[in-house]
Amino acid sequence: MSFQPAFPGLFSPSHGATPVQPETPQPLPATEKQLAYAKTLAAKTKQPLPENLDRAALSKWIDAHKAPAPQGRFSDYPSSKQVGFAERIARLKRSEVPPECFRDRTLMSRWIDSNKPR
């Protein structure tokens, strides 16, 4: 007794694989939050907001026109939210956050990533 498919011709080579998505994917439209932030930024910088931008293009425009992050004496320190989250994790694990993590945001981020509960 041999197995015969219930749908004749289903597995024949003439059908081939059909793509799941179209060959040229359509760009995603910009989100409402992106548009609101871009309008605020355009008003602050007195720059015209380009029309009909997709999500990626509007993100690039925002990055090019937003103010740079402040550079100062404490710019490399972790944020208060990072410190609070790290201390909660340490309390759960009954351990301490290493002191050097309080002086470098990157170290704090790595410590959080390696110790946060899964």
Side-chain angles (χ1 to χ4, degrees):
M1 181 173 199
S2 67
F3 176 75
Q4 295 294 326
F7 304 102
L10 179 67
F11 299 108
S12 67
S14 64
H15 286 269
T18 56
V20 176
Q21 295 179 347
E23 291 179 19
T24 55
Q26 298 296 325
L28 295 172
T31 64
E32 292 298 320
K33 280 186 173 183
Q34 265 186 321
L35 288 172
Y37 182 61
K39 287 176 185 175
T40 304
L41 199 57
K44 283 182 183 178
T45 60
K46 296 178 176 58
Q47 294 285 329
L49 183 64
E51 297 289 324
N52 301 326
L53 290 178
D54 63 348
R55 190 175 293 182
L58 188 58
S59 183
K60 286 181 184 176
W61 186 89
I62 289 172
D63 287 342
H65 291 86
K66 70 179 179 181
Q71 295 296 319
R73 184 174 169 195
F74 300 107
S75 62
D76 288 334
Y77 281 33
S79 68
S80 59
K81 288 188 177 187
Q82 271 185 312
V83 171
F85 188 50
E87 288 176 342
R88 265 185 290 162
I89 292 170
R91 220 175 302 123
L92 285 171
K93 293 197 162 210
R94 297 181 183 186
S95 65
E96 291 186 14
V97 180
E100 59 269 11
C101 291
F102 291 101
R103 292 186 292 275
D104 186 8
R105 72 174 50 238
T106 307
L107 280 176
M108 182 66 83
S109 179
R110 288 180 185 159
W111 188 89
I112 289 171
D113 288 342
S114 63
N115 287 285
K116 66 182 171 186
R118 307 251 180 246

Coordinates of all heavy atoms in Angstrom, one line a residue, residues 40-116:
T40 N 6.9 69.3 16.9 CA 7.5 70.1 18.0 C 8.9 70.5 17.8 O 9.3 71.7 18.0 CB 7.4 69.3 19.4 OG1 6.1 68.8 19.6 CG2 7.9 70.1 20.5
L41 N 9.7 69.6 17.2 CA 11.1 69.8 16.9 C 11.2 70.8 15.8 O 12.0 71.7 15.8 CB 11.8 68.5 16.5 CG 13.2 68.4 16.6 CD1 13.8 68.8 17.9 CD2 13.7 67.0 16.2
A42 N 10.3 70.7 14.8 CA 10.3 71.7 13.7 C 10.0 73.1 14.1 O 10.5 74.1 13.7 CB 9.3 71.2 12.6
A43 N 9.0 73.2 15.1 CA 8.7 74.5 15.6 C 9.8 75.1 16.4 O 10.1 76.3 16.3 CB 7.4 74.4 16.5
K44 N 10.5 74.3 17.2 CA 11.6 74.8 18.0 C 12.8 75.2 17.2 O 13.4 76.2 17.4 CB 12.1 73.7 19.0 CG 11.2 73.5 20.2 CD 11.8 72.5 21.1 CE 10.9 72.2 22.3 NZ 11.5 71.1 23.2
T45 N 13.1 74.5 16.1 CA 14.3 74.8 15.3 C 13.9 75.7 14.1 O 14.8 76.0 13.4 CB 14.9 73.5 14.8 OG1 14.0 72.8 14.0 CG2 15.4 72.6 15.9
K46 N 12.6 75.9 13.9 CA 12.2 76.8 12.8 C 12.6 76.2 11.5 O 13.0 76.9 10.5 CB 12.6 78.2 13.0 CG 12.0 78.9 14.2 CD 12.6 80.3 14.3 CE 11.9 81.0 15.5 NZ 12.1 80.5 16.8
Q47 N 12.6 74.9 11.4 CA 12.9 74.1 10.2 C 11.6 73.6 9.6 O 10.7 73.1 10.3 CB 13.8 73.0 10.5 CG 15.2 73.4 10.9 CD 16.0 73.9 9.8 OE1 15.9 73.5 8.7 NE2 16.9 74.8 10.1
P48 N 11.4 73.6 8.3 CA 10.2 73.0 7.7 C 10.2 71.5 7.9 O 11.3 70.8 7.7 CB 10.2 73.4 6.2 CG 11.7 73.6 6.0 CD 12.3 74.1 7.3
L49 N 9.1 70.9 8.2 CA 8.9 69.5 8.3 C 8.6 68.9 6.9 O 7.6 69.3 6.3 CB 7.8 69.1 9.3 CG 7.6 67.7 9.6 CD1 8.8 67.1 10.2 CD2 6.4 67.5 10.5
P50 N 9.4 68.0 6.4 CA 9.2 67.4 5.1 C 7.8 66.6 5.1 O 7.4 66.1 6.1 CB 10.4 66.5 4.8 CG 11.4 66.9 5.8 CD 10.7 67.5 6.9
E51 N 7.2 66.6 3.9 CA 5.9 65.9 3.8 C 6.1 64.5 3.4 O 7.1 64.1 2.7 CB 5.1 66.6 2.7 CG 4.7 68.0 3.0 CD 3.7 68.1 4.1 OE1 2.8 67.3 4.2 OE2 3.8 69.1 5.0
N52 N 5.2 63.6 3.7 CA 5.1 62.2 3.2 C 6.3 61.4 3.5 O 6.9 60.8 2.7 CB 4.8 62.2 1.7 CG 3.4 62.9 1.4 OD1 2.5 62.8 2.2 ND2 3.4 63.5 0.3
L53 N 6.8 61.5 4.7 CA 8.0 60.7 5.1 C 7.5 59.4 5.7 O 6.5 59.4 6.5 CB 8.9 61.4 6.1 CG 9.6 62.6 5.6 CD1 10.4 63.3 6.7 CD2 10.6 62.2 4.5
D54 N 8.2 58.3 5.5 CA 7.9 57.0 6.1 C 8.6 57.0 7.5 O 9.3 58.0 7.9 CB 8.4 55.9 5.2 CG 9.9 55.8 5.0 OD1 10.5 56.8 5.3 OD2 10.3 54.8 4.5
R55 N 8.5 55.9 8.2 CA 9.0 55.8 9.6 C 10.5 56.0 9.6 O 11.0 56.8 10.5 CB 8.6 54.5 10.2 CG 8.8 54.4 11.6 CD 8.3 53.1 12.2 NE 6.8 53.0 12.1 CZ 6.1 52.0 12.5 NH1 6.7 51.0 13.0 NH2 4.8 52.1 12.4
A56 N 11.2 55.3 8.8 CA 12.7 55.4 8.8 C 13.2 56.8 8.4 O 14.1 57.3 9.0 CB 13.3 54.3 7.9
A57 N 12.6 57.4 7.4 CA 13.1 58.7 6.9 C 12.8 59.8 8.0 O 13.6 60.6 8.2 CB 12.4 59.0 5.6
L58 N 11.6 59.7 8.6 CA 11.3 60.7 9.6 C 12.2 60.5 10.9 O 12.6 61.5 11.5 CB 9.8 60.5 10.1 CG 9.3 61.6 11.0 CD1 9.5 63.0 10.4 CD2 7.9 61.4 11.4
S59 N 12.6 59.3 11.2 CA 13.5 59.0 12.3 C 14.9 59.6 12.0 O 15.5 60.2 12.8 CB 13.6 57.5 12.5 OG 14.5 57.2 13.6
K60 N 15.3 59.5 10.7 CA 16.6 60.1 10.3 C 16.5 61.6 10.4 O 17.5 62.3 10.9 CB 17.0 59.7 8.9 CG 17.5 58.3 8.8 CD 17.9 58.0 7.4 CE 18.3 56.5 7.3 NZ 18.5 56.1 5.9
W61 N 15.4 62.2 10.0 CA 15.2 63.7 10.1 C 15.2 64.1 11.5 O 15.9 65.1 11.9 CB 13.9 64.1 9.4 CG 13.7 65.5 9.4 CD1 14.1 66.4 8.4 CD2 13.1 66.4 10.3 NE1 13.8 67.7 8.7 CE2 13.1 67.7 9.9 CE3 12.5 66.2 11.6 CZ2 12.6 68.8 10.6 CZ3 12.0 67.2 12.3 CH2 12.1 68.5 11.8
I62 N 14.6 63.4 12.4 CA 14.5 63.7 13.9 C 16.0 63.7 14.4 O 16.4 64.6 15.1 CB 13.6 62.8 14.6 CG1 12.1 63.1 14.3 CG2 13.8 62.9 16.1 CD1 11.1 62.1 14.8
D63 N 16.7 62.6 14.1 CA 18.1 62.5 14.6 C 19.0 63.6 14.1 O 19.8 64.1 14.9 CB 18.7 61.1 14.2 CG 18.1 60.0 14.9 OD1 17.5 60.2 16.0 OD2 18.2 58.8 14.4
A64 N 18.7 64.1 12.9 CA 19.6 65.2 12.4 C 19.2 66.5 13.0 O 20.1 67.4 13.0 CB 19.4 65.2 10.8
H65 N 18.0 66.7 13.5 CA 17.6 68.0 14.0 C 17.4 68.1 15.5 O 17.2 69.2 16.0 CB 16.3 68.4 13.3 CG 16.4 68.7 11.8 ND1 16.4 67.7 10.9 CD2 16.7 69.8 11.1 CE1 16.6 68.2 9.7 NE2 16.8 69.5 9.8
K66 N 17.5 67.0 16.2 CA 17.3 67.1 17.7 C 18.6 67.7 18.3 O 19.7 67.5 17.8 CB 16.9 65.8 18.3 CG 18.0 64.7 18.3 CD 17.5 63.5 18.9 CE 18.5 62.4 18.9 NZ 18.1 61.2 19.5
A67 N 18.4 68.2 19.5 CA 19.6 68.8 20.2 C 20.5 67.6 20.7 O 20.0 66.5 21.1 CB 19.1 69.6 21.4
P68 N 21.8 67.8 20.7 CA 22.7 66.8 21.1 C 22.5 66.6 22.6 O 22.1 67.5 23.4 CB 24.1 67.3 20.8 CG 23.9 68.7 20.7 CD 22.5 69.0 20.2
A69 N 22.9 65.4 23.1 CA 22.8 65.1 24.5 C 23.8 66.0 25.3 O 24.9 66.2 24.8 CB 23.1 63.6 24.8
P70 N 23.4 66.4 26.4 CA 24.3 67.3 27.2 C 25.6 66.6 27.6 O 25.5 65.5 28.1 CB 23.5 67.8 28.4 CG 22.4 66.8 28.5 CD 22.2 66.2 27.2
Q71 N 26.7 67.3 27.4 CA 28.0 66.7 27.8 C 28.5 67.5 29.0 O 28.6 68.7 28.9 CB 29.0 66.8 26.7 CG 28.6 65.9 25.5 CD 28.6 64.4 25.8 OE1 29.5 64.0 26.6 NE2 27.7 63.7 25.4
G72 N 28.7 66.8 30.1 CA 29.1 67.5 31.3 C 29.8 66.6 32.2 O 30.2 65.5 31.9
R73 N 30.0 67.1 33.4 CA 30.7 66.4 34.5 C 30.0 65.1 34.8 O 30.6 64.0 35.1 CB 30.9 67.3 35.7 CG 31.6 66.7 36.8 CD 31.8 67.7 37.9 NE 32.4 67.1 39.0 CZ 32.4 67.7 40.2 NH1 31.9 68.9 40.4 NH2 32.9 67.0 41.2
F74 N 28.7 65.1 34.8 CA 27.9 63.9 35.3 C 27.2 63.2 34.1 O 26.4 62.3 34.4 CB 26.9 64.4 36.3 CG 27.5 65.0 37.5 CD1 27.4 66.4 37.7 CD2 28.2 64.2 38.4 CE1 28.0 67.0 38.8 CE2 28.8 64.8 39.5 CZ 28.7 66.2 39.7
S75 N 27.6 63.4 32.9 CA 26.9 62.8 31.8 C 27.2 61.3 31.6 O 26.4 60.6 31.0 CB 27.3 63.5 30.5 OG 28.7 63.4 30.2
D76 N 28.3 60.8 32.2 CA 28.5 59.4 32.2 C 28.0 58.6 33.4 O 28.1 57.4 33.4 CB 30.1 59.1 32.1 CG 30.6 59.5 30.8 OD1 29.9 59.5 29.8 OD2 31.8 59.9 30.7
Y77 N 27.4 59.3 34.3 CA 26.8 58.7 35.5 C 25.5 58.0 35.1 O 24.8 58.4 34.2 CB 26.6 59.7 36.6 CG 27.8 60.1 37.4 CD1 29.0 60.1 36.8 CD2 27.7 60.4 38.7 CE1 30.2 60.5 37.5 CE2 28.8 60.8 39.4 CZ 30.1 60.8 38.8 OH 31.2 61.2 39.5
P78 N 25.1 56.9 35.8 CA 23.8 56.3 35.5 C 22.7 57.1 35.9 O 22.8 58.0 36.8 CB 23.9 55.0 36.3 CG 24.9 55.2 37.3 CD 25.9 56.2 36.8
S79 N 21.5 56.9 35.3 CA 20.3 57.7 35.7 C 19.8 57.2 37.0 O 20.1 56.1 37.5 CB 19.3 57.6 34.6 OG 18.8 56.3 34.6
S80 N 18.9 58.0 37.6 CA 18.3 57.6 38.9 C 17.5 56.4 38.7 O 17.4 55.6 39.6 CB 17.5 58.8 39.4 OG 16.5 59.2 38.5
K81 N 16.8 56.3 37.5 CA 16.0 55.1 37.3 C 16.9 53.8 37.2 O 16.5 52.8 37.6 CB 15.2 55.3 36.0 CG 14.0 56.3 36.2 CD 13.1 56.3 35.0 CE 12.0 57.2 35.3 NZ 11.0 57.2 34.2
Q82 N 18.0 54.0 36.5 CA 19.0 52.8 36.5 C 19.4 52.4 37.9 O 19.4 51.2 38.2 CB 20.2 53.2 35.6 CG 20.1 53.0 34.2 CD 21.4 53.3 33.5 OE1 22.1 54.3 33.7 NE2 21.9 52.4 32.7
V83 N 19.8 53.4 38.7 CA 20.2 53.1 40.0 C 19.1 52.4 40.8 O 19.4 51.4 41.5 CB 20.7 54.4 40.7 CG1 21.0 54.1 42.2 CG2 22.0 54.9 40.0
G84 N 17.9 52.9 40.7 CA 16.8 52.3 41.5 C 16.5 50.9 41.0 O 16.3 50.0 41.9
F85 N 16.5 50.7 39.7 CA 16.3 49.3 39.2 C 17.4 48.4 39.7 O 17.1 47.3 40.1 CB 16.2 49.4 37.7 CG 15.7 48.1 37.1 CD1 14.6 47.4 37.5 CD2 16.4 47.6 36.0 CE1 14.2 46.2 37.0 CE2 16.0 46.4 35.4 CZ 14.9 45.7 35.9
A86 N 18.6 48.8 39.6 CA 19.7 48.0 40.0 C 19.7 47.6 41.5 O 19.9 46.5 41.9 CB 21.1 48.7 39.7
E87 N 19.3 48.6 42.3 CA 19.1 48.3 43.7 C 18.0 47.4 44.0 O 18.1 46.5 44.9 CB 19.0 49.7 44.5 CG 20.3 50.5 44.5 CD 20.1 51.8 45.2 OE1 19.0 52.3 45.3 OE2 21.2 52.4 45.5
R88 N 16.9 47.5 43.3 CA 15.8 46.5 43.4 C 16.3 45.1 43.1 O 16.0 44.1 43.8 CB 14.6 46.9 42.6 CG 13.6 47.6 43.4 CD 12.4 47.9 42.5 NE 12.8 48.8 41.5 CZ 12.2 49.1 40.4 NH1 11.1 48.5 40.1 NH2 12.6 50.0 39.5
I89 N 17.0 45.0 42.0 CA 17.6 43.7 41.6 C 18.5 43.1 42.7 O 18.4 41.9 43.0 CB 18.3 43.8 40.2 CG1 17.3 44.1 39.1 CG2 19.1 42.5 39.9 CD1 18.0 44.4 37.8
A90 N 19.4 44.0 43.2 CA 20.3 43.6 44.2 C 19.6 43.1 45.5 O 20.0 42.1 46.1 CB 21.3 44.7 44.5
R91 N 18.5 43.8 45.8 CA 17.7 43.4 47.0 C 17.1 42.0 46.8 O 17.1 41.2 47.7 CB 16.6 44.4 47.2 CG 16.5 44.7 48.7 CD 15.5 45.8 49.0 NE 15.8 47.1 48.3 CZ 15.0 47.8 47.5 NH1 13.8 47.3 47.2 NH2 15.4 48.9 47.0
L92 N 16.6 41.8 45.6 CA 16.0 40.5 45.3 C 17.0 39.4 45.3 O 16.7 38.3 45.8 CB 15.3 40.5 43.9 CG 14.0 41.2 43.7 CD1 13.6 41.4 42.3 CD2 12.9 40.5 44.5
K93 N 18.2 39.7 44.8 CA 19.3 38.6 44.8 C 20.1 38.6 46.1 O 21.0 37.8 46.2 CB 20.2 38.9 43.6 CG 19.5 38.7 42.3 CD 20.5 38.5 41.2 CE 19.8 37.9 40.0 NZ 20.7 37.1 39.2
R94 N 19.8 39.5 47.0 CA 20.5 39.6 48.3 C 22.0 39.8 48.1 O 22.8 39.0 48.6 CB 20.2 38.4 49.2 CG 18.8 38.3 49.5 CD 18.5 37.1 50.4 NE 17.0 37.1 50.6 CZ 16.4 36.3 51.5 NH1 17.1 35.4 52.1 NH2 15.1 36.3 51.6
S95 N 22.3 40.7 47.2 CA 23.7 41.1 46.9 C 23.7 42.6 46.8 O 22.8 43.3 47.1 CB 24.1 40.4 45.6 OG 23.4 41.0 44.5
E96 N 24.9 43.1 46.4 CA 25.1 44.5 46.3 C 25.5 44.9 44.9 O 26.1 44.1 44.2 CB 26.2 45.0 47.3 CG 25.8 44.9 48.7 CD 26.8 45.5 49.7 OE1 27.7 46.3 49.1 OE2 26.7 45.3 50.9
V97 N 25.2 46.1 44.5 CA 25.6 46.6 43.2 C 27.1 47.0 43.4 O 27.4 47.8 44.4 CB 24.8 47.8 42.8 CG1 25.2 48.4 41.4 CG2 23.3 47.5 42.7
P98 N 28.0 46.6 42.5 CA 29.4 47.0 42.6 C 29.5 48.6 42.6 O 28.9 49.2 41.8 CB 30.1 46.4 41.4 CG 29.2 45.3 41.0 CD 27.8 45.7 41.4
P99 N 30.4 49.1 43.5 CA 30.6 50.6 43.5 C 31.0 51.2 42.2 O 30.5 52.4 41.9 CB 31.6 50.8 44.6 CG 31.8 49.5 45.3 CD 31.2 48.4 44.4
E100 N 31.7 50.6 41.4 CA 32.2 51.2 40.1 C 31.0 51.4 39.2 O 31.1 52.2 38.3 CB 33.3 50.4 39.5 CG 32.9 48.9 39.1 CD 33.3 47.9 40.2 OE1 33.6 48.4 41.4 OE2 33.2 46.7 40.0
C101 N 29.9 50.6 39.4 CA 28.7 50.8 38.5 C 28.0 52.1 38.7 O 27.4 52.6 37.9 CB 27.7 49.7 38.7 SG 28.3 48.1 38.2
F102 N 28.2 52.7 39.9 CA 27.6 54.0 40.2 C 28.3 55.2 39.5 O 27.9 56.3 39.6 CB 27.5 54.2 41.7 CG 26.6 53.3 42.4 CD1 27.0 52.2 43.1 CD2 25.2 53.6 42.4 CE1 26.1 51.3 43.7 CE2 24.3 52.7 43.0 CZ 24.8 51.6 43.7
R103 N 29.5 54.9 38.9 CA 30.3 56.0 38.2 C 30.2 55.9 36.7 O 30.8 56.8 36.0 CB 31.7 55.9 38.7 CG 31.8 56.4 40.2 CD 33.3 56.5 40.6 NE 34.0 55.2 40.7 CZ 33.9 54.3 41.7 NH1 33.2 54.7 42.8 NH2 34.6 53.2 41.7
D104 N 29.6 54.8 36.2 CA 29.6 54.6 34.7 C 28.3 54.0 34.3 O 27.9 52.9 34.7 CB 30.8 53.7 34.3 CG 30.9 53.6 32.8 OD1 30.2 54.3 32.1 OD2 31.7 52.8 32.4
R105 N 27.5 54.7 33.4 CA 26.2 54.2 33.0 C 26.3 52.9 32.2 O 25.5 52.1 32.2 CB 25.5 55.3 32.2 CG 26.0 55.6 30.9 CD 25.1 56.6 30.1 NE 24.8 57.8 30.8 CZ 23.5 58.2 31.0 NH1 22.5 57.5 30.6 NH2 23.3 59.3 31.7
T106 N 27.4 52.8 31.4 CA 27.6 51.5 30.6 C 27.8 50.3 31.5 O 27.2 49.3 31.3 CB 28.7 51.7 29.7 OG1 28.6 52.9 28.9 CG2 28.8 50.5 28.7
L107 N 28.6 50.5 32.6 CA 28.8 49.4 33.5 C 27.5 49.1 34.2 O 27.2 47.9 34.5 CB 29.9 49.8 34.5 CG 31.3 49.6 34.1 CD1 32.2 50.1 35.2 CD2 31.7 48.2 33.8
M108 N 26.8 50.1 34.6 CA 25.5 49.9 35.3 C 24.5 49.1 34.4 O 23.9 48.2 34.8 CB 24.9 51.2 35.8 CG 23.6 51.0 36.5 SD 23.8 50.2 38.1 CE 24.2 51.6 39.1
S109 N 24.5 49.5 33.1 CA 23.6 48.8 32.2 C 24.0 47.4 32.0 O 23.1 46.5 32.0 CB 23.6 49.6 30.8 OG 22.8 48.9 29.9
R110 N 25.3 47.1 31.9 CA 25.7 45.7 31.8 C 25.4 44.9 33.0 O 25.1 43.7 33.0 CB 27.2 45.7 31.5 CG 27.5 46.1 30.1 CD 29.0 46.1 29.8 NE 29.3 46.6 28.5 CZ 30.5 47.1 28.1 NH1 31.5 47.1 29.0 NH2 30.7 47.6 26.9
W111 N 25.6 45.5 34.2 CA 25.3 44.8 35.5 C 23.8 44.5 35.5 O 23.4 43.4 35.9 CB 25.7 45.7 36.7 CG 25.6 44.9 37.9 CD1 26.6 44.1 38.5 CD2 24.4 44.8 38.8 NE1 26.1 43.5 39.7 CE2 24.8 43.9 39.9 CE3 23.2 45.3 38.7 CZ2 23.9 43.6 40.9 CZ3 22.3 45.0 39.7 CH2 22.6 44.2 40.8
I112 N 23.0 45.4 35.2 CA 21.5 45.2 35.2 C 21.2 44.1 34.2 O 20.4 43.1 34.5 CB 20.8 46.5 34.8 CG1 20.9 47.5 35.9 CG2 19.3 46.2 34.5 CD1 20.3 48.9 35.6
D113 N 21.7 44.1 33.0 CA 21.4 43.1 32.0 C 21.8 41.7 32.4 O 21.2 40.7 32.2 CB 22.1 43.4 30.6 CG 21.4 44.6 29.9 OD1 20.3 44.9 30.3 OD2 22.1 45.1 29.0
S114 N 23.0 41.6 33.1 CA 23.5 40.3 33.5 C 22.8 39.8 34.8 O 22.9 38.6 35.1 CB 25.0 40.3 33.7 OG 25.4 41.2 34.7
N115 N 22.1 40.7 35.6 CA 21.6 40.3 36.9 C 20.1 40.4 37.0 O 19.5 39.9 38.0 CB 22.2 41.1 38.0 CG 23.6 40.7 38.3 OD1 23.9 39.7 38.9 ND2 24.5 41.5 37.8
K116 N 19.4 40.9 36.0 CA 18.0 41.1 36.1 C 17.3 39.7 36.0 O 17.7 38.8 35.4 CB 17.4 42.0 35.0 CG 17.5 41.5 33.6 CD 17.0 42.5 32.6 CE 17.2 42.1 31.2 NZ 16.9 43.1 30.3

